[in-house]
Amino acid sequence: MIHSLFLINTSGDIFLEKHWKSVISRSVCDYFFEAQGKAGELENVPPVISTPHHYLINIYREKIFLVSVIQTEVPPLFVIEFLHRVAEMFQDYFGDCSETTIKDNVVIVYELLEEMLDNGFPLATESNILKELIKPPTILRSMVNTITGSSNVGDTLPTGQLSTIPWRRAGVKYTNNEAYFDVVEEIDAILDKSGTTVFAEIQGVIDACVKLSGMPDLTLSFMNPKLLDDVSFHPCVRFKRWEAERVLSFIPPDGNFQLMSYHVNAQNLVAIPVYVKQNISFFESGCSGRLDITVGPKQTMGKIVEAIVVTVHMPKVVLSANLATTQGTYTYDPVTKVLLWDIGKINPQKLPNLKGSLSLQSGSAKPEENPSLVLQFKIQQLAISGLKVNRLDMFGEKYKPFKGVKYLTKAGKFQVRT
């Protein structure tokens, strides 16, 4: 299936490669570089690139492209999911998935890739199993390995590898038994000049941190599960129970994992938590323009909107911006032509406003179209879709665990047209 994997940074340097079958020349990445050049922005590189003899399937994470080389037809989503699993495993082991971290831990990276893929087919992709096979790096372990010449690879087969529950190791014991769930929702939206929603959808995930002794069997139920579309589950979830009762029943992995992801894309169900009043205009005569932006909360169920940042990609003819703000700070970069307004929290009693004049190049024509605004924000303790966890029950063990649920809504690709 997967013949080779290349890790490429944003400068176009191949800083790591791994081959499972035959060695494939680095020149195959020229097709990827060609597609990258045509895409313009890094996020817009096509995930599947067809070449005369291979398929290149890639993802972009943490300023790194993971490019896999395939010689036969395979389901692309299968490979993409595996590449995301590789990136998440690096993050789990090393704290982040940056080029520097991977170079610093190159031996463990190769050991992980060797265990995760067997002859090009996924083998061990669960964090619990891999951590028993290959010990995570610590300063003490690195020193011992350097002195003794040993490696991080374990001597025994993981206890869960051959069981029916490969994602959970046996004999887990904790002094404090706890299960915490984070419901994180990203809202993608496009609003027109009048504030009407052109497009909106919510992408949500439920991240879990479960530290329970023994072999607990958990049941998680929701107040309104009918909201959820296009759900995707961790392998531990019993899918037939979900289909029949809309209840999540599972024996959880030990530690951190993503329990499920979902979409809510019915336009009438997606509440827009902020509104923007804006007026950006360029004058026909003279080399100037006006800008006036106000941001306010809307449908936030009384929760505070925080970490608000407004980004405006100005036309190339805009030289400078002379603006005044009632809250936060703004910067304008005359090279990249990006106006950044960092607002912070919104005070509903006094809405943040940014207004002033824009200076254009002398003799330049009026820009043909106005720039759009891109918003970032967070709302703690709110799931904008209205999804709520009803209860969490545990079977199979006698102790009472600590339980908790947190909600977070944040902006994904949130654009306001002017």
Side-chain angles (χ1 to χ4, degrees):
M1 196 179 92
I2 297 178
H3 277 64
S4 301
L5 176 67
F6 295 96
L7 268 59
I8 304 172
N9 62 20
T10 49
S11 306
D13 301 322
I14 301 169
F15 65 90
L16 188 137
E17 59 184 280
K18 169 71 176 153
H19 307 279
W20 281 273
K21 295 185 179 181
S22 55
V23 176
I24 293 174
S25 169
R26 287 186 171 196
S27 60
V28 75
C29 294
D30 292 345
Y31 295 101
F32 171 79
F33 296 134
E34 187 183 332
Q36 186 183 356
K38 289 178 183 174
E41 299 219 0
L42 297 173
E43 290 85 356
N44 296 336
V45 177
V48 181
I49 300 164
S50 180
T51 75
H53 302 291
H54 306 92
Y55 295 101
L56 304 181
I57 299 179
N58 69 87
I59 64 166
Y60 180 62
R61 292 275 295 256
E62 306 281 337
K63 298 183 180 177
I64 294 173
F65 285 100
L66 284 81
V67 182
S68 61
V69 182
I70 318 290
Q71 284 189 330
T72 55
E73 279 202 23
V74 296
L77 286 176
F78 185 68
V79 180
I80 287 169
E81 176 63 28
F82 175 76
L83 294 177
H84 278 294
R85 195 67 69 92
V86 170
E88 282 156 15
M89 205 56 65
F90 291 164
Q91 204 151 6
D92 194 19
Y93 262 73
F94 313 128
D96 71 343
C97 183
S98 65
E99 180 185 353
T100 310
T101 309
I102 290 170
K103 284 180 175 177
D104 289 345
N105 298 279
V106 70
V107 174
I108 296 176
V109 167
Y110 276 113
E111 288 171 350
L112 281 170
L113 292 174
E114 196 64 50
E115 295 296 341
M116 292 183 78
L117 223 61
D118 181 39
N119 199 35
F121 289 87
L123 178 65
T125 58
E126 283 297 329
S127 176
N128 284 322
I129 290 173
L130 285 166
K131 281 181 178 173
E132 283 192 68
L133 278 168
I134 300 158
K135 305 297 182 202
T138 61
I139 295 171
L140 180 61
R141 193 171 287 134
S142 301
M143 288 171 63
V144 171
N145 290 351
T146 306
I147 295 165
T148 62
S150 57
S151 74
N152 284 27
V153 179
D155 298 326
T156 57
L157 192 68
T159 51
Q161 180 81 340
L162 302 176
S163 78
T164 53
I165 309 168
W167 53 84
R168 188 173 181 85
R169 58 195 173 91
V172 182
K173 285 186 181 178
Y174 286 103
T175 309
N176 294 323
N177 293 285
E178 50 195 25
Y180 300 116
F181 297 88
D182 290 350
V183 181
V184 182
E185 295 189 341
E186 275 194 7
I187 179 166
D188 297 336
I190 298 174
L191 310 182
D192 67 10
K193 191 172 182 178
S194 61
T196 308
T197 304
V198 177
F199 163 83
E201 80 167 3
I202 294 166
Q203 300 185 51
V205 296
I206 298 180
D207 291 322
C209 177
V210 178
K211 295 181 179 179
L212 300 174
S213 305
M215 196 66 73
D217 198 326
L218 303 182
T219 303
L220 187 74
S221 59
F222 301 101
M223 303 272 271
N224 37 11
K226 290 181 181 177
L227 286 172
L228 307 178
D229 297 324
D230 192 18
V231 288
S232 171
F233 298 114
H234 188 279
C236 69
V237 176
R238 299 179 179 101
F239 187 60
K240 284 190 176 179
R241 180 91 185 266
W242 169 261
E243 280 191 309
E245 303 173 39
R246 284 293 187 263
V247 165
L248 295 181
S249 173
F250 57 99
I251 294 173
D254 181 41
N256 298 309
F257 65 100
Q258 189 181 101
L259 180 62
M260 68 178 286
S261 62
Y262 59 89
H263 280 83
V264 179
N265 51 18
Q267 294 279 356
N268 56 339
L269 291 176
V270 180
I272 305 297
V274 295
Y275 69 85
V276 180
K277 290 180 180 176
Q278 39 68 32
N279 182 22
I280 301 175
S281 56
F282 300 102
F283 304 127
E284 294 283 356
S285 57
C287 303
S288 63
R290 292 288 301 169
L291 179 141
D292 190 344
I293 304 171
T294 304
V295 182
K298 171 186 167 187
Q299 295 177 302
T300 61
M301 324 312 187
K303 306 293 183 186
I304 296 173
V305 187
E306 56 188 27
I308 303 174
V309 178
V310 180
T311 307
V312 188
H313 291 269
M314 289 291 183
K316 291 181 179 178
V317 294
V318 178
L319 291 175
S320 63
N322 183 20
L323 308 171
T325 176
T326 59
Q327 184 181 332
T329 57
Y330 82 91
T331 56
Y332 179 69
D333 189 333
V335 178
T336 59
K337 309 296 182 186
V338 173
L339 172 66
L340 200 71
W341 180 24
D342 190 344
I343 299 171
K345 287 184 182 179
I346 284 187
N347 178 7
Q349 270 67 47
K350 189 181 180 186
L351 298 178
N353 174 263
L354 178 71
K355 65 179 177 181
S357 60
L358 304 171
S359 301
L360 279 63
Q361 288 178 7
S362 58
S364 61
K366 177 187 172 184
E368 292 181 5
E369 55 186 34
N370 282 352
S372 57
L373 280 61
V374 177
L375 261 72
Q376 293 170 278
F377 56 81
K378 287 182 183 178
I379 308 172
Q380 301 285 352
Q381 292 305 322
L382 174 69
I384 200 69
S385 66
L387 183 72
K388 283 193 176 176
V389 173
N390 184 24
R391 60 183 295 163
L392 175 70
D393 297 308
M394 186 181 76
F395 306 95
E397 299 290 340
K398 292 181 180 177
Y399 57 83
K400 282 191 175 181
F402 295 104
K403 299 178 281 189
V405 180
K406 277 199 312 186
Y407 300 91
L408 173 67
T409 295
K410 57 184 180 179
K413 295 176 181 176
F414 197 99
Q415 187 183 81
V416 181
R417 293 173 178 170
T418 61

